[in-house]
Amino acid sequence: MADILTSKDKDYAQWYNDLVIKADLAENSAVRGSMVIKPYGFAIWEKMRDDLDRRFKETGHLNAYFPLFIPKSFLSKEAAHVEGFAKECAVVTHYRLKNDPNGKGVIVDPDAKLEEELIVRPTSETIIWDTYRKWIQSYRDLPLLINQWANVVRWEMRTRLFLRTSEFLWQEGHTAHATKEEAIAEAEQMLEVYADFLESILAVPVLKGVKSESERFAGAVETYCVEALMQDGKALQAGTSHFLGQNFAKAFDVKFATKEGTNEYVWATSWGVSTRLMGALIMSHSDNNGLVLPPKVAPYQVVIIPIYRKDEEFDRVDAAAKEIMADLRKAGISVHYDNRDTYKPGWKFNQYELKGVPVRLAIGPRDLENKQVEMARRDTLQKSPVPMEGLAEHISSTLEDIQNSLLERAKKRTSDATYEVNTWEEFTDAIANRGGFVKAHWDGTPETEKIIKDKTKATIRCIELDAPEEQGTCILTGKPSNRRVVFAKAY
RNA sequence: CGGGGUGUGGCGCAGUUGGUAGCGCACCUGGUUUGGGACCAGGGGGCCGCUGGUUCGAGUCCAGUCACCCCGACCA
């Protein structure tokens, strides 16, 4: 096997980068920090998007679209929000170019300066709440349950393909409710949607929790999150769901008439997942041979590769392959048949392993004689002969098995790397040398959290929703604590 | 914005004291091949990031400039 990828053990970050590029998922573009998502990568994102979209609709949400540009003044209406995003906003100042009088090319026309500058949305709360003010008059207009699929821009200092890019794709749900309880229930419901999606579709197990004050979304009262553990022991925030209280309603003056005839500010939530999920997917399952995809998000679940020497052999193999393809498709399995004569079978084997296709079928003259095909599983790399008779059923159950195995494997990896520590020495050793989710007592103050972060690079990933009450003492200050929180180094 | 690095065919790189710009992969043609990244033969493709300077002569030396990458601060 030629070494196409940097080995995971040698350099995990480089392995990830190689994989994204070599598997044709994405590449860097001419603009620093922004990426081109290539067709194969986008096909995976589309699978995620379609499944999530169905879940949003099933929970009563409708899609809409709000504009890319936001008046600069909107951002400043909610104090914490502007504080959180101001440093990473792209700003549109002009609306016209002209030919450079001094030479070639074009320059920004200084006469075309905007009266009010526009920011490119880093998130859409402000423009949406400015709109909701007009939409909401009465309790009968509530709840308002809207989602949008969009791109956003956050001018990041350092970027990595899928994990952090200046522009990324995501969905953002924005809801308005008559009561606090209902809004909290909505935020919690969407967290469950994310958690279930990650586990059942991406085969990525997650911790569910709330963020500490310092990790909270700018403008939120409470931020719920799902956190996943990557193969290198670092955590990745996979999705967030915010209870926004009445912060945005007050900032944008969104009130409704209650049944009793009083006027009240509405209660809000917002929630989102992004193309960062691609990173979570890659870093949960893939290996030194390339991508490993759970069948539920694989652009092709099965690839068929014909093996032959002469034209006469090809004709026979080709006929059998097409028949199999039709059978599999009838059974609802997505199939790619690679009958190109310009690449050898061995090259194709490696290529489709790199791209993470869950099941590979090879069919040659020998198989025709024995009425079988050779099946290879991407997750285990095992090959086995399978009879043509009942092939579709066998493949279906194999795909199911792969989906389940990947989740089980990731669960085991995560639980093996999740553990408790009780002293500062244990903690620093664990963070520096072992990684993973480290559960420890914390005194609950942002000051302590900051010191821990500065000393160890570890942050509080979440306070788990189902964390049991347990008396203990803070690993740093020794002050009392009544539950453990989850620390990790994070992406 | 700090610290480090790199700019040379599509990609990855070499290029010595300054003297006609090269290698691997990829690509094209022909043939043999095809059950784990085939082989042989032939072929195409580069203002050496940009600007200026030194020189008979610059990829190479000097000055400036731009871009990108890595490490930090910031972050879904």
Side-chain angles (χ1 to χ4, degrees):
Chain A
M1 166 71 59
D3 291 324
I4 285 196
L5 301 173
T6 302
S7 153
K8 278 202 292 193
D9 303 321
K10 191 176 159 231
D11 185 343
Y12 194 80
Q14 192 60 46
W15 165 83
Y16 174 84
N17 226 343
D18 285 359
L19 177 46
V20 169
I21 289 166
K22 298 274 173 57
D24 258 344
L25 302 179
E27 63 188 36
N28 284 305
S29 79
V31 180
R32 178 189 146 75
S34 58
M35 66 176 166
V36 176
I37 304 176
K38 298 184 75 176
Y40 193 71
F42 201 78
I44 297 169
W45 172 243
E46 282 180 309
K47 292 262 181 192
M48 294 186 190
R49 196 189 58 190
D50 291 350
D51 192 88
L52 283 165
D53 199 63
R54 181 180 56 74
R55 290 166 191 261
F56 299 155
K57 305 261 171 69
E58 283 174 358
T59 45
H61 303 86
L62 295 173
N63 283 334
Y65 186 78
F66 295 84
L68 173 68
F69 299 124
I70 297 176
K72 193 180 68 179
S73 59
F74 280 21
L75 197 71
S76 57
K77 290 192 180 181
E78 211 288 327
H81 193 67
V82 66
E83 168 74 20
F85 285 106
K87 283 171 291 184
E88 50 189 24
C89 285
V91 185
V92 179
T93 56
H94 293 75
Y95 58 86
R96 193 164 63 210
L97 300 174
K98 66 174 189 180
N99 288 323
D100 184 353
N102 298 322
K104 302 169 190 72
V106 289
I107 59 167
V108 174
D109 187 340
D111 295 334
K113 195 162 165 26
L114 288 170
E115 285 282 312
E116 179 176 4
E117 289 154 346
L118 301 171
I119 63 166
V120 181
R121 62 180 166 218
T123 179
S124 301
E125 273 77 6
T126 57
I127 188 97
I128 284 176
W129 281 91
D130 185 69
T131 308
Y132 281 4
R133 181 178 59 248
K134 300 169 212 164
W135 291 4
I136 296 168
Q137 310 290 333
S138 142
Y139 71 92
R140 287 176 295 193
D141 298 323
L142 298 173
L144 183 57
L145 306 172
I146 304 285
N147 176 64
Q148 83 164 338
W149 289 95
N151 57 340
V152 288
V153 168
R154 296 179 189 176
W155 213 262
E156 300 291 350
M157 294 289 118
R158 295 198 52 209
T159 58
R160 296 192 59 193
L161 293 166
F162 289 118
L163 295 173
R164 179 168 304 109
T165 45
S166 294
E167 178 188 3
F168 56 91
L169 305 184
W170 77 346
Q171 58 69 216
E172 46 181 325
H174 296 272
T175 69
H177 306 264
T179 66
K180 178 180 179 181
E181 292 67 32
E182 193 185 303
I184 291 173
E186 164 78 4
E188 289 176 347
Q189 170 186 243
M190 298 324 287
L191 189 76
E192 285 301 326
V193 166
Y194 290 152
D196 190 66
F197 166 79
L198 274 143
E199 297 212 351
S200 65
I201 305 298
L202 303 189
V204 173
V206 292
L207 295 186
K208 292 176 284 192
V210 295
K211 286 294 186 188
S212 64
E213 186 186 333
S214 51
E215 296 276 330
R216 202 174 285 155
F217 176 74
V221 174
E222 188 85 275
T223 288
Y224 299 82
C225 63
V226 281
E227 294 281 328
L229 194 62
M230 303 295 100
Q231 291 164 340
D232 62 347
K234 286 169 79 175
L236 183 77
Q237 178 174 303
T240 49
S241 178
H242 315 289
F243 168 58
L244 301 173
Q246 295 174 309
N247 292 346
F248 285 91
K250 285 176 179 167
F252 288 88
D253 195 33
V254 185
K255 290 181 185 169
F256 71 103
T258 63
K259 276 183 191 170
E260 294 74 31
T262 57
N263 271 322
E264 307 270 351
Y265 288 113
V266 302
W267 298 85
T269 80
S270 68
W271 29 273
V273 293
S274 72
T275 35
R276 180 180 243 202
L277 287 175
M278 294 287 289
L281 181 70
I282 295 161
M283 290 195 289
S284 289
H285 309 303
S286 301
D287 60 24
N288 284 334
N289 289 347
L291 195 58
V292 175
L293 289 173
K296 288 184 180 175
V297 285
Y300 325 120
Q301 295 169 316
V302 174
V303 60
I304 301 174
I305 296 169
I307 315 280
Y308 55 91
R309 289 163 192 275
K310 296 159 294 200
D311 284 355
E312 178 272 329
E313 279 183 359
F314 173 75
D315 291 341
R316 285 158 52 211
V317 168
D318 184 60
K322 283 177 174 157
E323 207 172 307
I324 289 169
M325 179 164 59
D327 280 354
L328 294 182
R329 284 185 177 157
K330 214 176 291 171
I333 299 165
S334 60
V335 189
H336 177 60
Y337 173 40
D338 188 348
N339 63 355
R340 289 177 296 177
D341 192 39
T342 46
Y343 294 93
K344 291 185 50 163
W347 186 90
K348 293 178 186 173
F349 291 176
N350 284 289
Q351 188 65 17
Y352 290 107
E353 267 167 27
L354 188 57
K355 293 193 145 193
V357 178
V359 168
R360 179 184 76 230
L361 300 179
I363 309 173
R366 285 209 303 267
D367 298 306
L368 294 184
E369 278 169 36
N370 299 329
K371 297 190 188 324
Q372 66 176 38
V373 299
E374 181 193 83
M375 183 185 82
R377 283 174 64 137
R378 180 62 185 88
D379 61 335
T380 58
L381 296 170
Q382 282 168 347
K383 293 193 282 198
S384 56
V386 179
M388 297 243 198
E389 182 77 36
L391 183 63
E393 292 74 19
H394 190 270
I395 301 283
S396 286
S397 72
T398 301
L399 289 170
E400 236 169 85
D401 191 53
I402 293 173
Q403 184 81 32
N404 295 333
S405 305
L406 287 176
L407 177 60
E408 288 312 313
R409 202 159 78 179
K411 272 186 177 166
K412 179 165 191 317
R413 178 174 54 72
T414 302
S415 68
D416 286 352
T418 303
Y419 50 98
E420 300 184 348
V421 302
N422 296 306
T423 67
W424 180 247
E425 288 68 35
E426 281 175 1
F427 180 79
T428 52
D429 179 62
I431 293 297
N433 302 316
R434 191 172 164 193
F437 284 138
V438 182
K439 297 186 179 182
H441 281 284
W442 163 60
D443 65 18
T445 66
E447 293 75 22
T448 300
E449 185 181 359
K450 175 82 162 60
I451 295 168
I452 292 172
K453 183 181 177 183
D454 291 345
K455 290 193 175 200
T456 66
K457 304 241 168 80
T459 51
I460 297 174
R461 298 324 302 156
C462 70
I463 301 152
E464 284 185 280
L465 294 178
D466 56 3
E469 289 255 334
E470 180 194 302
Q471 297 310 310
T473 55
C474 175
I475 47 164
L476 183 73
T477 62
K479 290 179 187 162
S481 146
N482 58 9
R483 75 170 48 144
R484 289 175 186 272
V485 300
V486 179
F487 286 91
K489 283 193 200 167
Y491 275 96

